[in-house]
């Protein structure tokens, strides 16, 4: 996969690991917001995975537990779900939530694993999921190939990411403001990021190169609702480690000025009932 000149995948993975170690508690704290916002995407993913009682599922880059926890509800006591992530901190919240829901270790487990190198036996799972995870892999084809490897023949891999910036202004507005303030160039083709698999042809090609067949892509709309633009800016500032990292090289005063501008930019989606904006995600599925 083509990467921009000077891109260091090892350094990127280490930076990403540290981002999520630091943002784990915030991501968990904003869990109700994330669930309400992304549940339509999760439901579509689980339907496309054809999950049923007794299925074995791996969630790659599971974060604090979704969609792995929802998958566990579908597979039942005779099934098994393994939630994986590069961040041990964030998986602790997933494990705690599983215990709160009464899921035994026979049904739900967590394990720290890099998605591009799943240290697991071949042909172990019926379905592989990755919601907003694969888009940040330095080598997304390798990540999909690892999913292919651990799936049984006929198993399904279902991944989700954002489509294009103009369809996701809640994210593209902050990114654009930060890039302008920090004099950062736009990402080049092949570089990991929120919109890296937004083009259906790019996602389909990644699936094909990883060995999948019967590939489909689906567009899912999901509304992000919050009390105000200020709360949305707070949500992104606390939870989106990539935005924090983009601003890490400037003073606290400059960071706060950037977030004030971001809040002002998001205010266009504020109305009498609060903050609401549409988001658009792409969900891909392929069969081993």
């Amino acid at each position: 996969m083509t990467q921009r000149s000077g891109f260091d995948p090892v350094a990127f993975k280490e930076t990403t690991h540290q981002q999520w170690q630091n943002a784990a508690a915030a991501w968990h704290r904003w869990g109700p917001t994330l669930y309400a916002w992304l549940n339509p995407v999760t439901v579509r993913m689980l339907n496309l995975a054809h999950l049923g009682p007794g299925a074995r599922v791996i969630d790659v880059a599971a974060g604090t537990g979704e969609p792995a926890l929802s998958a566990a509800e579908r597979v039942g006591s005779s099934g098994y779900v393994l939630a994986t992530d590069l961040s041990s901190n964030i998986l602790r919240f997933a494990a705690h939530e599983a215990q709160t829901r009464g899921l035994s270790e026979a049904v739900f487990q967590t394990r720290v694993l890099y998605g591009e190198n799943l240290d697991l036996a071949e042909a172990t799972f019926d379905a592989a999921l990755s919601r907003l995870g694969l888009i940040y892999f330095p080598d997304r084809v390798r990540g999909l190939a690892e999913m292919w490897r651990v799936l049984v023949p006929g198993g399904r891999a279902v991944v989700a990411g954002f489509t294009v910036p103009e369809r996701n202004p809640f994210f593209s507005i902050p990114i654009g403001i930060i890039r302008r303030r920090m004099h950062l160039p736009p990402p080049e083709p092949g570089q990991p990021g929120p919109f890296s698999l937004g083009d259906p042809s790019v996602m389909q090609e990644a699936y094909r190169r990883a060995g999948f067949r019967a590939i489909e892509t689906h567009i899912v709309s999901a509304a992000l609702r919050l009390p105000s633009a200020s709360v949305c800016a707070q949500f992104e500032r606390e939870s989106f480690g990539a935005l924090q990292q983009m601003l890490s090289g400037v003073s606290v005063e400059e960071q706060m000025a950037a977030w004030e501008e971001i809040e002002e930019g998001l205010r266009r989606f504020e109305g009498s009932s609060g903050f609401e904006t549409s988001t658009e995600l792409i969900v891909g599925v392929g069969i081993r």
Side-chain angles (χ1 to χ4, degrees):
M1 178 175 290
T2 303
Q3 300 286 359
R4 61 179 290 186
S5 176
F7 178 80
D8 185 341
V10 175
F12 179 84
K13 283 193 286 189
E14 179 53 38
T15 298
T16 303
H17 169 259
Q18 196 57 54
Q19 286 172 2
W20 286 111
Q21 289 289 83
N22 295 338
W27 196 254
H28 173 69
R29 187 167 59 251
W30 288 95
T33 295
L34 290 161
Y35 183 87
W37 167 35
L38 294 173
N39 190 54
V41 181
T42 296
V43 170
R44 181 66 68 89
M45 291 179 70
L46 300 184
N47 289 342
L48 289 170
H50 291 186
L51 297 187
R56 294 177 59 84
V57 183
I58 181 171
D59 187 355
V60 180
T64 54
E66 286 293 349
L69 291 163
S70 293
E73 295 175 354
R74 292 212 182 187
V75 304
S77 59
S78 59
Y80 172 72
V81 176
L82 177 63
T84 72
D85 202 280
L86 54 74
S87 168
S88 58
N89 287 353
I90 210 164
L91 284 178
R92 290 192 187 100
F93 290 107
H96 181 266
E97 182 61 26
Q99 292 175 353
T100 300
R101 297 189 187 190
L103 298 172
S104 70
E105 287 194 7
V107 174
F108 188 96
Q109 293 183 340
T110 64
R111 185 172 171 184
V112 175
L113 289 172
Y114 280 95
E116 294 164 317
N117 185 25
L118 298 174
D119 185 17
L120 298 164
E122 185 175 344
T124 305
F125 297 94
D126 302 297
L129 310 171
S130 184
R131 191 189 74 180
L132 305 184
L134 186 71
I135 52 178
Y136 293 108
F137 288 14
D139 191 337
R140 292 173 294 288
V141 171
R142 181 173 174 180
L144 280 167
E146 279 293 274
M147 294 182 204
W148 186 96
R149 185 183 63 79
V150 301
L151 286 171
V152 299
R156 291 169 170 256
V158 185
V159 305
F162 297 107
T163 56
V164 293
E166 53 268 29
R167 296 285 189 174
N168 295 280
F170 87 100
F171 210 179
S172 60
I173 287 173
I175 290 174
I177 289 171
I178 293 172
R179 284 193 181 280
R180 172 174 52 77
R181 281 178 164 268
M182 298 296 294
H183 307 290
L184 298 172
E188 295 185 10
Q191 186 176 0
F195 310 114
S196 58
L197 289 173
D199 185 329
S201 65
V202 173
M203 180 176 279
Q204 291 163 10
E205 177 62 16
Y207 266 99
R208 278 192 290 270
R209 290 179 60 191
F212 286 96
R213 60 185 175 84
I215 301 159
E216 301 174 4
T217 55
H218 302 260
I219 302 299
V220 180
S221 296
L224 175 60
R225 299 182 178 94
L226 289 161
S228 66
S230 175
V231 173
C232 184
Q234 180 185 0
F235 166 51
E236 297 192 50
R237 184 173 66 249
E238 293 180 358
S239 304
F240 288 54
L243 298 179
Q244 297 171 6
Q245 182 62 28
M246 290 172 72
L247 285 166
S248 63
V250 298
S251 68
V252 172
E253 290 76 14
E254 290 175 293
Q255 292 180 32
M256 294 309 298
W259 283 109
E260 288 173 4
E261 184 179 352
I262 288 167
E263 181 180 331
E264 183 61 33
L266 294 173
R267 199 161 284 140
R268 73 187 68 173
F269 304 108
E270 202 172 60
S272 58
S273 59
F275 176 92
E276 180 175 344
T277 184
S278 62
T279 69
E280 188 179 83
L281 292 95
I282 181 170
V283 179
V285 58
I287 300 175
R288 173 173 175 176

